[in-house]
Amino acid sequence: MEIKHLIAHRGNITGPNPEKENNKGYILDALTNGFECEIDVWFLNNKFFLGHDDPENEIEITFLLENFD
């Protein structure tokens, strides 16, 4: 069986790590290592954020446009 896509949930590639999940650098590490990423994106007050239960880490729209199709 051929694996076509490896997906890092919130940037995790070796299991849950709540302290790092949905963190820009953590996600970029997963992408660099050949994973696709499922992330939690919030848009609040005309700003973009990463975070699971709440908007935690502000990001620029360019982060999404440059790293996700």
Side-chain angles (χ1 to χ4, degrees):
M1 175 190 306
E2 180 181 337
I3 297 175
K4 295 185 179 191
H5 297 277
L6 299 172
I7 302 172
H9 184 244
R10 300 182 194 138
N12 294 312
I13 59 175
T14 59
N17 190 337
E19 295 80 32
K20 293 185 178 181
E21 291 176 358
N22 283 308
N23 177 289
K24 184 177 168 181
Y26 194 55
I27 292 164
L28 289 173
D29 286 344
L31 293 170
T32 299
N33 282 294
F35 287 80
E36 295 183 22
C37 288
E38 180 275 328
I39 58 174
D40 302 298
V41 178
W42 294 71
F43 186 68
L44 183 65
N45 297 324
N46 289 318
K47 296 180 182 178
F48 288 92
F49 296 86
L50 299 174
H52 177 61
D53 293 324
D54 296 298
E56 298 173 358
N57 304 306
E58 187 175 350
I59 57 168
E60 298 295 328
I61 186 67
T62 53
F63 172 74
L64 300 173
L65 296 173
E66 292 172 355
N67 294 291
F68 298 91
D69 320 33

